[in-house]
């Protein structure tokens, strides 16, 4: 049999170094699946339970490897299911290539079954590149461009392959007019700003007496450089959510997370600093940054579109974080007065003590903060952590102490529910020798995580280290939003939208052939983590927590406090528990 377009597509993916494809079948891609079957094990096809999960896994793969993640779905419904996961990649700037089927070219335009205008559907999410492959000769450049643009723009791209085309004999582009002759390969550029701008930045930073740093995902590969610059400047370092693993929480001048899920020392540092150095972050909430005019601002970002949009910066350095910081360092004078740094360190130490007190407060039955607090010292070296959107993101951001050599991520920009478990699966496939821990809410777990537990059941024996722990924060509530209703809107909890079914997740895991541990007493939390992290197979850790413990922002505004009080006065169904837990939290 001659080489088909499907065979060639895979050959080309392999040339680009791609070895794993997350996907789900359908007759719109049978020509590609048939070709995959013929490759004889060169590719690992990971079969998910829902195409959105394939897109999340491709995004997780990109986040945890720095390489392109690939997902594959059939035409019509399969393609539509990918969308949310692709938006997650778009908003977190990850290179993902979606390959989708389409009706046969002979049927397109005929309101055929499963025919959807996929170019229009993907036009926004894959705005950097979405193309239909029109002929065997154009397969080569469309896939080459989709991969190269995904990498270059750090964005999802989409290749639409009509199903009849997949089975046709492959043809090289002819040496003729109107043909495209593309090649394989991409090296990540490391741009640096010009000297004049670097000196301008150094002058501003040298003049400052109270320098605050904020680092994000763009600093994940610049840990050493960030720490050297922070040392010279006597600065504290706050972290945006996606930058959680950029610097370890074990350092005394790292103030931790910022924003609604942030810490008090980060808040105070931003309110009091006279100079702000932001590295690789698009942190959105300006009210947690200095007031306009309060601080001189210097920003480093790889993307010129994203500088000076959260705070009016004096100097915008467009460049690679590590390379730029390396050039900046020799221009900085080491601050002799370390008073500002000492003050930050004192506040950080006090804050950790506060967090411990808050975590160890009694609750009914288990304080969710304790779940995260007890995990910190137990996180194995080199672990990869994932988290979902929900109240767990608060405790992940504030309470978890990440150390050097770990990785951690969640859906930052889109803040979608659902990626916790699929990210963890992608982490296991990419790094089968590293322990992985997913921290997810019961709502997110019911939304899709439970289904992907079946995927874990199917594949876990391939992983050299079988440890994958999914901690389900079982609060029978869509708790983050319940608290938003109270604190942001002054409304009582709306039970009809907020309460979710109580379900025995540990039993479910056991039925799926995995380990399941149910915890409903505070003193069992630590030992349960130990057992899960020593298990010979993946574990679902179902922890029965108290929904009344408030995920309080680091700084409660008068308006928020008034809303909260109003929500209770309006007859919140959980008033008694909420009052008890809030008073403890506020005074802890
Ligand atoms: C796909 C999606 N739907 C809805 C939301 C809004 N939302 C954010 S957090 C949350 C609650 C999550 O509940 P759960 O997973 O149980 O976590 P909890 O907050 O209870 O810990 C909701 C509904 C979202 N971010 N994403
Ligand atoms: Mg919940």
């Amino acid at each position: 049999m001659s080489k088909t377009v499907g065979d060639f597509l895979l050959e080309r993916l392999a040339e680009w170094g791609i070895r794993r494809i997350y996907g789900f079948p359908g007759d719109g891609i049978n020509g590609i699946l048939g070709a995959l079957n013929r490759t004889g094990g060169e590719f690992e096809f990971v079969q998910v339970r829902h195409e959105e999960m394939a897109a999340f896994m491709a995004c997780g793969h990109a986040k945890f490897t720095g390489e392109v993640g690939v997902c594959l779905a059939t035409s019509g419904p399969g393609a539509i299911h990918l969308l949310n996961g692709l938006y997650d990649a778009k908003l977190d700037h990850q290179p993902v290539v979606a390959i989708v089927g389409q009706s046969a070219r002979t049927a397109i335009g005929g309101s055929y079954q499963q025919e959807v205008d996929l170019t229009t559907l993907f036009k926004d999410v894959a705005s950097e590149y979405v193309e239909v492959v029109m002929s065997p000769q154009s397969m080569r450049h469309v896939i080459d461009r989709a991969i190269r643009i995904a990498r270059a723009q750090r964005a999802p791209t989409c290749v639409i392959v009509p199903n009849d085309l997949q089975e046709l004999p492959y043809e090289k582009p002819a040496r003729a007019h109107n043909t495209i002759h593309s090649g394989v390969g991409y090296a990540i550029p490391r741009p640096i700003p010009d000297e004049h701008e670097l000196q301008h930045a150094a002058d501003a930073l040298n003049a400052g007496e109270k320098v605050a740093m904020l680092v994000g995902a763009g600093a994940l590969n610049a840990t050493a450089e960030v720490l050297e610059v922070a040392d010279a400047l006597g600065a504290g370092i706050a972290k945006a959510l996606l930058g959680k693993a950029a610097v370890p929480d074990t350092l005394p001048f790292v103030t931790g997370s910022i924003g609604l899920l942030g810490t008090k020392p980060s808040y105070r540092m931003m309110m009091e600093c006279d100079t702000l150095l932001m590295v690789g972050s698009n942190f959105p909430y300006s009210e947690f940054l200095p007031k306009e005019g309060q601080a001189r601002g210097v920003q480093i970002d790889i993307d010129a579109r994203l500088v000076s949009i959260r705070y009016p910066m004096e100097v915008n350095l467009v460049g690679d974080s590590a390379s730029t910081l390396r050039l900046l360092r020799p221009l900085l004078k080491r601050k002799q007065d370390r008073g500002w740094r000492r003050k930050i360190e004192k506040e950080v130490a006090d804050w950790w003590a506060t967090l411990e007190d808050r975590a160890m407060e009694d609750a009914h039955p288990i304080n969710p903060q304790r779940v995260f607090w007890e995990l910190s010292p137990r996180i194995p070296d080199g672990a990869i952590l994932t988290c979902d959107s929900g109240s767990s993101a608060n405790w992940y951001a504030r309470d978890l102490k990440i150390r050097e050599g770990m990785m951690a991520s969640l859906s930052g920009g889109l803040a979608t529910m659902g990626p916790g478990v699929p990210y963890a699966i992608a982490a296991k496939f990419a790094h089968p020798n590293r322990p992985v821990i997913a921290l997810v809410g019961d709502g997110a777990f019911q939304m899709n995580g439970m289904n992907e537990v079946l995927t874990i059941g199917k594949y876990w024996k391939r992983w050299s280290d079988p440890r994958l722990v999914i901690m389900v924060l079982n609060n029978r509530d869509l708790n983050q939003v319940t608290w938003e209703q109270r604190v942001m809107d002054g409304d009582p909890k709306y039970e009809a939208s907020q309460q979710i079914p109580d379900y025995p997740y540990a039993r479910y895991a056991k039925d799926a052939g995995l380990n399941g541990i149910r915890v409903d007493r505070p003193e069992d939390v630590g030992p349960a983590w130990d057992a899960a992290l020593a298990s010979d197979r993946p574990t679902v850790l179902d922890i029965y927590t108290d929904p009344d413990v408030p995920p309080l922002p680091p700084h409660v505004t008068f308006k928020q406090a008034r809303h909260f009080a109003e929500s209770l006065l309006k007859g919140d169904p959980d008033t008694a528990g909420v009052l008890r837990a809030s008073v403890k939290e506020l005074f802890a």
Side-chain angles (χ1 to χ4, degrees):
M1 185 179 152
S2 64
K3 186 195 296 182
T4 66
V5 170
D7 291 324
F8 172 77
L9 167 62
L10 295 168
E11 189 182 297
R12 201 65 167 181
L13 289 175
E15 272 187 72
W16 275 98
I18 287 154
R19 292 287 178 274
R20 188 172 302 113
I21 297 176
Y22 293 100
F24 197 80
D27 70 351
I29 48 171
N30 267 345
I32 298 171
L33 296 170
L36 264 169
N37 202 5
R38 287 191 290 276
T39 58
E42 191 176 356
F43 283 91
E44 189 167 36
F45 178 81
V46 179
Q47 178 213 58
V48 296
R49 315 265 73 68
H50 184 297
E51 291 86 351
E52 183 179 327
M53 302 301 108
F56 279 142
M57 289 178 203
C59 180
H61 176 87
K63 285 186 168 187
F64 296 128
T65 63
E67 298 161 4
V68 173
V70 176
C71 52
L72 175 65
T74 192
S75 50
I80 294 166
H81 269 178
L82 288 178
L83 277 182
N84 193 49
L86 294 180
Y87 271 106
D88 181 43
K90 183 183 180 79
L91 270 66
D92 281 354
H93 307 285
Q94 296 302 320
V96 167
V97 176
I99 301 171
V100 296
Q102 176 57 301
S103 307
R105 290 170 303 164
T106 45
I108 290 177
S111 294
Y112 206 64
Q113 187 187 32
Q114 293 194 332
E115 186 190 347
V116 167
D117 179 354
L118 295 179
T119 310
T120 302
L121 182 78
F122 287 108
K123 196 68 209 164
D124 182 51
V125 72
S127 55
E128 296 291 349
Y129 194 73
V130 47
E131 286 297 337
V132 184
V133 183
M134 303 295 283
S135 77
Q137 291 198 28
S138 54
M139 184 74 249
R140 186 172 92 178
H141 74 262
V142 173
I143 194 68
D144 284 348
R145 297 211 69 207
I147 296 172
R148 182 172 291 111
I149 292 171
R151 294 215 70 176
Q153 300 300 324
R154 304 174 302 123
T157 59
C158 179
V159 176
I160 302 166
V161 197
N163 65 35
D164 60 317
L165 191 90
Q166 299 164 19
E167 314 265 11
L168 291 182
Y170 173 65
E171 288 170 45
K172 264 176 81 166
R175 180 157 173 77
H177 198 54
N178 293 329
T179 57
I180 305 291
H181 297 263
S182 63
V184 169
Y186 184 79
I188 297 176
R190 308 255 175 238
I192 48 166
D194 74 35
E195 279 171 32
H196 178 75
E197 285 303 297
L198 279 166
Q199 189 57 54
H200 186 174
D203 291 345
L205 295 166
N206 285 334
E209 289 173 3
K210 298 184 228 168
V211 185
M213 289 178 72
L214 171 60
V215 302
L220 288 173
N221 292 321
T223 303
E225 290 82 1
V226 164
L227 293 178
E228 276 183 36
V229 165
D231 177 59
L233 296 173
I237 308 174
K239 302 189 280 187
L241 263 186
L242 289 172
K244 173 100 180 157
V247 286
D249 290 303
T250 42
L251 294 171
F253 51 88
V254 170
T255 62
S257 53
I258 185 172
L260 288 167
L261 315 185
T263 71
K264 212 163 164 181
S266 294
Y267 186 79
R268 289 178 64 95
M269 178 171 74
M270 289 299 162
M271 294 308 115
E272 292 170 22
C273 69
D274 63 13
T275 312
L276 171 64
L277 172 58
M278 212 156 123
V279 183
S281 175
N282 191 22
F283 169 68
Y285 304 147
S286 294
E287 71 272 30
F288 289 92
L289 296 177
K291 276 197 291 293
E292 275 191 41
Q294 171 195 324
R296 295 177 76 179
V298 175
Q299 185 170 3
I300 301 173
D301 205 283
I302 190 88
D303 190 340
R305 292 172 296 193
L306 296 179
V307 293
S308 233
I309 58 170
R310 306 296 183 220
Y311 185 84
M313 296 289 171
E314 183 176 326
V315 192
N316 294 299
L317 301 176
V318 176
D320 168 68
S321 303
S323 316
T324 304
L325 289 167
R326 269 199 295 274
L327 292 172
L328 192 58
R329 174 63 193 92
L331 306 178
L332 299 175
K333 296 196 202 77
R334 191 167 195 282
K335 301 242 182 274
Q336 297 308 315
D337 182 351
R338 310 301 281 184
W340 166 249
R341 171 64 87 80
R342 270 198 305 277
K343 171 177 138 50
I344 291 170
E345 293 191 354
K346 163 91 174 60
E347 286 177 3
V348 169
D350 290 350
W351 173 250
W352 283 119
T354 302
L355 283 182
E356 178 164 21
D357 289 347
R358 287 186 181 183
M360 292 305 165
E361 278 294 348
D362 286 342
H364 295 258
I366 295 175
N367 187 328
Q369 294 163 104
R370 177 160 182 172
V371 177
F372 292 73
W373 188 260
E374 299 249 17
L375 169 60
S376 282
R378 295 178 164 90
I379 310 174
D381 285 339
I384 302 175
L385 296 134
T386 73
C387 185
D388 223 290
S389 298
S391 70
S392 55
N394 291 266
W395 319 128
Y396 160 91
R398 286 197 202 116
D399 291 72
L400 263 196
K401 277 196 187 182
I402 202 145
R403 304 191 305 275
E404 209 173 339
M406 297 178 178
M407 290 195 270
S409 201
L410 41 55
S411 172
L414 189 60
T416 178
M417 285 170 70
V421 174
Y423 275 13
I425 293 173
K428 281 308 293 186
F429 273 106
H431 303 281
N433 56 338
R434 295 173 73 155
V436 174
I437 302 169
L439 305 158
V440 305
D442 46 359
F445 198 56
Q446 291 181 9
M447 187 177 264
N448 57 33
M450 289 176 75
N451 294 337
E452 292 310 316
V453 162
L454 305 182
T455 304
I456 296 168
K458 177 168 175 176
Y459 291 110
W460 70 270
K461 287 187 182 145
R462 291 189 189 179
W463 302 327
S464 49
D465 181 333
R467 288 177 299 167
L468 164 53
V469 183
I470 300 171
M471 189 286 292
V472 182
L473 202 66
N474 180 346
N475 53 23
R476 289 81 59 209
D477 185 29
L478 300 172
N479 198 235
Q480 179 69 17
V481 173
T482 300
W483 278 103
E484 285 163 358
Q485 289 177 348
R486 290 181 183 128
V487 177
M488 300 303 201
D489 302 304
D491 288 329
K493 171 182 176 182
Y494 178 42
E495 286 207 308
S497 71
Q498 298 315 108
Q499 218 155 38
I500 58 169
D502 194 349
Y503 188 86
Y505 305 106
R507 203 167 76 201
Y508 174 79
K510 285 185 187 154
D511 284 348
L514 306 181
N515 187 18
I517 303 174
R518 160 80 165 214
V519 184
D520 48 24
R521 295 189 317 173
E523 62 273 25
D524 294 340
V525 170
W529 274 121
D530 290 334
L533 288 166
S535 176
D536 65 352
R537 64 191 59 211
T539 301
V540 171
L541 193 52
D542 171 1
I543 309 196
Y544 214 73
T545 54
D546 186 347
D548 291 342
V549 175
L552 285 178
H555 175 74
V556 181
T557 63
F558 178 70
K559 195 166 146 199
Q560 287 163 345
R562 198 187 65 211
H563 279 160
F564 180 34
E566 281 169 5
S567 73
L568 299 185
L569 289 174
K570 285 180 194 161
D572 193 287
D574 300 336
T575 301
V578 160
L579 271 179
R580 169 187 34 76
S582 307
V583 168
K584 282 184 181 167
E585 176 102 344
L586 282 168
F587 295 103

